[in-house]
PDB file of all heavy atoms in Angstrom:
ATOM      1  N   LYS A   2      -6.952  10.681  -8.626  1.00 93.00           N
ATOM      2  CA  LYS A   2      -6.381   9.394  -9.263  1.00 93.00           C
ATOM      3  C   LYS A   2      -6.152   8.373  -8.194  1.00 93.00           C
ATOM      4  O   LYS A   2      -6.451   7.176  -8.433  1.00 93.00           O
ATOM      5  CB  LYS A   2      -5.113   9.764  -9.960  1.00 93.00           C
ATOM      6  CG  LYS A   2      -5.257  10.698 -11.213  1.00 93.00           C
ATOM      7  CD  LYS A   2      -3.944  10.987 -11.864  1.00 93.00           C
ATOM      8  CE  LYS A   2      -4.114  11.885 -13.087  1.00 93.00           C
ATOM      9  NZ  LYS A   2      -2.778  12.161 -13.654  1.00 93.00           N
ATOM     10  N   LEU A   3      -5.574   8.735  -7.158  1.00 93.00           N
ATOM     11  CA  LEU A   3      -5.238   7.712  -5.985  1.00 93.00           C
ATOM     12  C   LEU A   3      -6.529   7.253  -5.466  1.00 93.00           C
ATOM     13  O   LEU A   3      -6.546   6.016  -5.079  1.00 93.00           O
ATOM     14  CB  LEU A   3      -4.344   8.408  -5.007  1.00 93.00           C
ATOM     15  CG  LEU A   3      -2.981   8.736  -5.392  1.00 93.00           C
ATOM     16  CD1 LEU A   3      -2.331   9.610  -4.171  1.00 93.00           C
ATOM     17  CD2 LEU A   3      -2.160   7.513  -5.696  1.00 93.00           C
ATOM     18  N   ALA A   4      -7.617   8.035  -5.334  1.00 90.00           N
ATOM     19  CA  ALA A   4      -8.848   7.512  -4.796  1.00 90.00           C
ATOM     20  C   ALA A   4      -9.517   6.457  -5.645  1.00 90.00           C
ATOM     21  O   ALA A   4     -10.316   5.663  -5.091  1.00 90.00           O
ATOM     22  CB  ALA A   4      -9.848   8.669  -4.597  1.00 90.00           C
ATOM     23  N   ARG A   5      -9.183   6.487  -6.889  1.00 88.00           N
ATOM     24  CA  ARG A   5      -9.712   5.481  -7.856  1.00 88.00           C
ATOM     25  C   ARG A   5      -8.990   4.202  -7.779  1.00 88.00           C
ATOM     26  O   ARG A   5      -9.434   3.128  -8.326  1.00 88.00           O
ATOM     27  CB  ARG A   5      -9.765   6.025  -9.196  1.00 88.00           C
ATOM     28  CG  ARG A   5     -10.705   7.215  -9.467  1.00 88.00           C
ATOM     29  CD  ARG A   5     -10.943   7.350 -10.996  1.00 88.00           C
ATOM     30  NE  ARG A   5      -9.740   7.865 -11.633  1.00 88.00           N
ATOM     31  CZ  ARG A   5      -9.492   9.238 -11.801  1.00 88.00           C
ATOM     32  NH1 ARG A   5     -10.479  10.093 -11.324  1.00 88.00           N
ATOM     33  NH2 ARG A   5      -8.437   9.674 -12.379  1.00 88.00           N
ATOM     34  N   ARG A   6      -7.775   4.157  -7.088  1.00 80.00           N
ATOM     35  CA  ARG A   6      -7.025   2.888  -6.898  1.00 80.00           C
ATOM     36  C   ARG A   6      -7.646   2.029  -5.836  1.00 80.00           C
ATOM     37  O   ARG A   6      -8.540   2.490  -5.084  1.00 80.00           O
ATOM     38  CB  ARG A   6      -5.635   3.151  -6.518  1.00 80.00           C
ATOM     39  CG  ARG A   6      -4.883   4.145  -7.624  1.00 80.00           C
ATOM     40  CD  ARG A   6      -4.733   3.362  -8.907  1.00 80.00           C
ATOM     41  NE  ARG A   6      -3.718   2.252  -8.803  1.00 80.00           N
ATOM     42  CZ  ARG A   6      -2.371   2.375  -9.231  1.00 80.00           C
ATOM     43  NH1 ARG A   6      -1.991   3.501  -9.894  1.00 80.00           N
ATOM     44  NH2 ARG A   6      -1.584   1.382  -9.110  1.00 80.00           N
ATOM     45  N   SER A   7      -7.392   0.772  -5.837  1.00 73.00           N
ATOM     46  CA  SER A   7      -8.018  -0.132  -4.949  1.00 73.00           C
ATOM     47  C   SER A   7      -7.825   0.210  -3.462  1.00 73.00           C
ATOM     48  O   SER A   7      -8.621   0.056  -2.564  1.00 73.00           O
ATOM     49  CB  SER A   7      -7.612  -1.596  -5.143  1.00 73.00           C
ATOM     50  OG  SER A   7      -6.148  -1.637  -5.004  1.00 73.00           O
ATOM     51  N   SER A   8      -6.585   0.717  -3.181  1.00 90.00           N
ATOM     52  CA  SER A   8      -6.303   0.997  -1.767  1.00 90.00           C
ATOM     53  C   SER A   8      -5.137   2.036  -1.702  1.00 90.00           C
ATOM     54  O   SER A   8      -4.029   1.801  -2.163  1.00 90.00           O
ATOM     55  CB  SER A   8      -5.839  -0.283  -1.051  1.00 90.00           C
ATOM     56  OG  SER A   8      -5.476   0.007   0.295  1.00 90.00           O
ATOM     57  N   THR A   9      -5.440   3.196  -0.984  1.00 92.00           N
ATOM     58  CA  THR A   9      -4.480   4.194  -0.851  1.00 92.00           C
ATOM     59  C   THR A   9      -4.557   4.703   0.568  1.00 92.00           C
ATOM     60  O   THR A   9      -5.700   4.961   1.048  1.00 92.00           O
ATOM     61  CB  THR A   9      -4.680   5.419  -1.753  1.00 92.00           C
ATOM     62  OG1 THR A   9      -4.690   4.983  -3.087  1.00 92.00           O
ATOM     63  CG2 THR A   9      -3.514   6.474  -1.567  1.00 92.00           C
ATOM     64  N   SER A  10      -3.431   4.817   1.324  1.00 94.00           N
ATOM     65  CA  SER A  10      -3.481   5.227   2.731  1.00 94.00           C
ATOM     66  C   SER A  10      -2.189   6.003   2.989  1.00 94.00           C
ATOM     67  O   SER A  10      -1.210   5.906   2.428  1.00 94.00           O
ATOM     68  CB  SER A  10      -3.626   4.097   3.599  1.00 94.00           C
ATOM     69  OG  SER A  10      -2.469   3.245   3.563  1.00 94.00           O
ATOM     70  N   ILE A  11      -2.349   6.893   4.033  1.00 96.00           N
ATOM     71  CA  ILE A  11      -1.194   7.688   4.482  1.00 96.00           C
ATOM     72  C   ILE A  11      -1.109   7.512   5.956  1.00 96.00           C
ATOM     73  O   ILE A  11      -2.063   7.683   6.754  1.00 96.00           O
ATOM     74  CB  ILE A  11      -1.363   9.185   4.197  1.00 96.00           C
ATOM     75  CG1 ILE A  11      -1.273   9.387   2.664  1.00 96.00           C
ATOM     76  CG2 ILE A  11      -0.304  10.071   4.935  1.00 96.00           C
ATOM     77  CD1 ILE A  11      -1.514  10.849   2.251  1.00 96.00           C
ATOM     78  N   ASP A  12       0.052   7.102   6.544  1.00 97.00           N
ATOM     79  CA  ASP A  12       0.321   6.944   7.893  1.00 97.00           C
ATOM     80  C   ASP A  12       1.450   7.861   8.340  1.00 97.00           C
ATOM     81  O   ASP A  12       2.480   7.993   7.556  1.00 97.00           O
ATOM     82  CB  ASP A  12       0.719   5.466   8.253  1.00 97.00           C
ATOM     83  CG  ASP A  12      -0.382   4.510   7.867  1.00 97.00           C
ATOM     84  OD1 ASP A  12      -1.466   4.726   8.185  1.00 97.00           O
ATOM     85  OD2 ASP A  12      -0.010   3.512   7.280  1.00 97.00           O
ATOM     86  N   ILE A  13       1.276   8.428   9.443  1.00 98.00           N
ATOM     87  CA  ILE A  13       2.352   9.298  10.014  1.00 98.00           C
ATOM     88  C   ILE A  13       2.705   8.696  11.462  1.00 98.00           C
ATOM     89  O   ILE A  13       1.967   8.653  12.334  1.00 98.00           O
ATOM     90  CB  ILE A  13       1.915  10.771  10.255  1.00 98.00           C
ATOM     91  CG1 ILE A  13       1.501  11.327   8.875  1.00 98.00           C
ATOM     92  CG2 ILE A  13       2.870  11.549  10.923  1.00 98.00           C
ATOM     93  CD1 ILE A  13       0.946  12.718   8.931  1.00 98.00           C
ATOM     94  N   VAL A  14       3.886   8.145  11.468  1.00 97.00           N
ATOM     95  CA  VAL A  14       4.379   7.410  12.579  1.00 97.00           C
ATOM     96  C   VAL A  14       5.310   8.260  13.386  1.00 97.00           C
ATOM     97  O   VAL A  14       6.192   8.989  12.933  1.00 97.00           O
ATOM     98  CB  VAL A  14       5.225   6.155  12.208  1.00 97.00           C
ATOM     99  CG1 VAL A  14       5.651   5.371  13.432  1.00 97.00           C
ATOM    100  CG2 VAL A  14       4.326   5.260  11.334  1.00 97.00           C
ATOM    101  N   SER A  15       5.093   8.395  14.756  1.00 96.00           N
ATOM    102  CA  SER A  15       5.818   9.251  15.665  1.00 96.00           C
ATOM    103  C   SER A  15       6.316   8.569  16.973  1.00 96.00           C
ATOM    104  O   SER A  15       7.124   9.247  17.660  1.00 96.00           O
ATOM    105  CB  SER A  15       4.965  10.534  15.955  1.00 96.00           C
ATOM    106  OG  SER A  15       3.765  10.135  16.646  1.00 96.00           O
ATOM    107  N   GLU A  16       5.826   7.442  17.242  1.00 95.00           N
ATOM    108  CA  GLU A  16       6.253   6.865  18.565  1.00 95.00           C
ATOM    109  C   GLU A  16       7.031   5.617  18.324  1.00 95.00           C
ATOM    110  O   GLU A  16       6.922   4.881  17.338  1.00 95.00           O
ATOM    111  CB  GLU A  16       4.822   6.520  19.322  1.00 95.00           C
ATOM    112  CG  GLU A  16       4.013   7.681  19.586  1.00 95.00           C
ATOM    113  CD  GLU A  16       2.853   7.336  20.369  1.00 95.00           C
ATOM    114  OE1 GLU A  16       2.580   6.070  20.591  1.00 95.00           O
ATOM    115  OE2 GLU A  16       2.010   8.136  20.783  1.00 95.00           O
ATOM    116  N   PRO A  17       7.924   5.328  19.383  1.00 94.00           N
ATOM    117  CA  PRO A  17       8.728   4.108  19.318  1.00 94.00           C
ATOM    118  C   PRO A  17       7.864   2.888  19.383  1.00 94.00           C
ATOM    119  O   PRO A  17       6.667   2.901  19.753  1.00 94.00           O
ATOM    120  CB  PRO A  17       9.605   4.170  20.665  1.00 94.00           C
ATOM    121  CG  PRO A  17       9.508   5.615  21.047  1.00 94.00           C
ATOM    122  CD  PRO A  17       8.142   6.141  20.612  1.00 94.00           C
ATOM    123  N   GLY A  18       8.454   1.719  18.918  1.00 94.00           N
ATOM    124  CA  GLY A  18       7.765   0.444  18.984  1.00 94.00           C
ATOM    125  C   GLY A  18       7.853  -0.334  17.698  1.00 94.00           C
ATOM    126  O   GLY A  18       8.574  -0.053  16.821  1.00 94.00           O
ATOM    127  N   GLU A  19       7.095  -1.347  17.636  1.00 94.00           N
ATOM    128  CA  GLU A  19       7.140  -2.282  16.475  1.00 94.00           C
ATOM    129  C   GLU A  19       6.698  -1.601  15.161  1.00 94.00           C
ATOM    130  O   GLU A  19       7.254  -1.827  14.091  1.00 94.00           O
ATOM    131  CB  GLU A  19       6.347  -3.552  16.693  1.00 94.00           C
ATOM    132  CG  GLU A  19       6.487  -4.583  15.569  1.00 94.00           C
ATOM    133  CD  GLU A  19       5.659  -5.839  15.921  1.00 94.00           C
ATOM    134  OE1 GLU A  19       5.244  -5.989  17.097  1.00 94.00           O
ATOM    135  OE2 GLU A  19       5.495  -6.676  15.014  1.00 94.00           O
ATOM    136  N   VAL A  20       5.710  -0.789  15.335  1.00 96.00           N
ATOM    137  CA  VAL A  20       5.190  -0.058  14.131  1.00 96.00           C
ATOM    138  C   VAL A  20       6.306   0.847  13.552  1.00 96.00           C
ATOM    139  O   VAL A  20       6.502   0.899  12.369  1.00 96.00           O
ATOM    140  CB  VAL A  20       3.901   0.750  14.567  1.00 96.00           C
ATOM    141  CG1 VAL A  20       3.537   1.610  13.291  1.00 96.00           C
ATOM    142  CG2 VAL A  20       2.750  -0.156  14.912  1.00 96.00           C
ATOM    143  N   LEU A  21       7.002   1.490  14.464  1.00 96.00           N
ATOM    144  CA  LEU A  21       8.101   2.354  13.994  1.00 96.00           C
ATOM    145  C   LEU A  21       9.219   1.569  13.253  1.00 96.00           C
ATOM    146  O   LEU A  21       9.747   2.030  12.314  1.00 96.00           O
ATOM    147  CB  LEU A  21       8.729   3.188  15.216  1.00 96.00           C
ATOM    148  CG  LEU A  21       9.893   3.957  14.836  1.00 96.00           C
ATOM    149  CD1 LEU A  21       9.662   5.075  13.829  1.00 96.00           C
ATOM    150  CD2 LEU A  21      10.551   4.575  16.132  1.00 96.00           C
ATOM    151  N   SER A  22       9.586   0.367  13.819  1.00 96.00           N
ATOM    152  CA  SER A  22      10.551  -0.446  13.206  1.00 96.00           C
ATOM    153  C   SER A  22      10.162  -0.868  11.793  1.00 96.00           C
ATOM    154  O   SER A  22      11.006  -0.793  10.842  1.00 96.00           O
ATOM    155  CB  SER A  22      10.806  -1.699  14.089  1.00 96.00           C
ATOM    156  OG  SER A  22      11.285  -1.301  15.335  1.00 96.00           O
ATOM    157  N   GLU A  23       8.900  -1.257  11.612  1.00 96.00           N
ATOM    158  CA  GLU A  23       8.468  -1.578  10.293  1.00 96.00           C
ATOM    159  C   GLU A  23       8.431  -0.290   9.325  1.00 96.00           C
ATOM    160  O   GLU A  23       8.771  -0.469   8.142  1.00 96.00           O
ATOM    161  CB  GLU A  23       7.053  -2.164  10.436  1.00 96.00           C
ATOM    162  CG  GLU A  23       6.982  -3.482  11.104  1.00 96.00           C
ATOM    163  CD  GLU A  23       5.582  -4.038  11.318  1.00 96.00           C
ATOM    164  OE1 GLU A  23       4.623  -3.219  11.016  1.00 96.00           O
ATOM    165  OE2 GLU A  23       5.376  -5.118  11.843  1.00 96.00           O
ATOM    166  N   ALA A  24       8.040   0.882   9.958  1.00 97.00           N
ATOM    167  CA  ALA A  24       8.094   2.043   9.165  1.00 97.00           C
ATOM    168  C   ALA A  24       9.427   2.427   8.704  1.00 97.00           C
ATOM    169  O   ALA A  24       9.625   2.906   7.601  1.00 97.00           O
ATOM    170  CB  ALA A  24       7.390   3.215   9.966  1.00 97.00           C
ATOM    171  N   ILE A  25      10.447   2.289   9.574  1.00 97.00           N
ATOM    172  CA  ILE A  25      11.872   2.629   9.233  1.00 97.00           C
ATOM    173  C   ILE A  25      12.357   1.709   8.133  1.00 97.00           C
ATOM    174  O   ILE A  25      13.042   2.209   7.163  1.00 97.00           O
ATOM    175  CB  ILE A  25      12.737   2.571  10.507  1.00 97.00           C
ATOM    176  CG1 ILE A  25      12.408   3.672  11.400  1.00 97.00           C
ATOM    177  CG2 ILE A  25      14.214   2.533  10.067  1.00 97.00           C
ATOM    178  CD1 ILE A  25      13.212   3.556  12.766  1.00 97.00           C
ATOM    179  N   GLU A  26      11.928   0.437   8.111  1.00 96.00           N
ATOM    180  CA  GLU A  26      12.305  -0.536   7.052  1.00 96.00           C
ATOM    181  C   GLU A  26      11.735  -0.077   5.789  1.00 96.00           C
ATOM    182  O   GLU A  26      12.377  -0.138   4.746  1.00 96.00           O
ATOM    183  CB  GLU A  26      11.974  -1.899   7.446  1.00 96.00           C
ATOM    184  CG  GLU A  26      12.764  -2.525   8.596  1.00 96.00           C
ATOM    185  CD  GLU A  26      12.257  -3.908   8.918  1.00 96.00           C
ATOM    186  OE1 GLU A  26      11.392  -4.478   8.155  1.00 96.00           O
ATOM    187  OE2 GLU A  26      12.821  -4.573   9.925  1.00 96.00           O
ATOM    188  N   ALA A  27      10.424   0.315   5.821  1.00 96.00           N
ATOM    189  CA  ALA A  27       9.787   0.825   4.619  1.00 96.00           C
ATOM    190  C   ALA A  27      10.451   2.008   4.091  1.00 96.00           C
ATOM    191  O   ALA A  27      10.620   2.173   2.821  1.00 96.00           O
ATOM    192  CB  ALA A  27       8.290   0.990   4.891  1.00 96.00           C
TER     193      ALA A  27
END
């Protein structure tokens, strides 16, 4: 079902930095 949607992704964040800050907010 998810594959039929326009965009589906899974991210696993593990390191400090700007990406982590955005992931924490999410």
Side-chain angles (χ1 to χ4, degrees):
K2 291 179 181 178
L3 292 172
R5 291 195 289 267
R6 304 292 289 257
S7 60
S8 176
T9 303
S10 64
I11 292 177
D12 298 315
I13 300 176
V14 182
S15 58
E16 298 181 357
E19 184 177 350
V20 173
L21 175 61
S22 298
E23 295 174 353
I25 290 176
E26 290 181 4

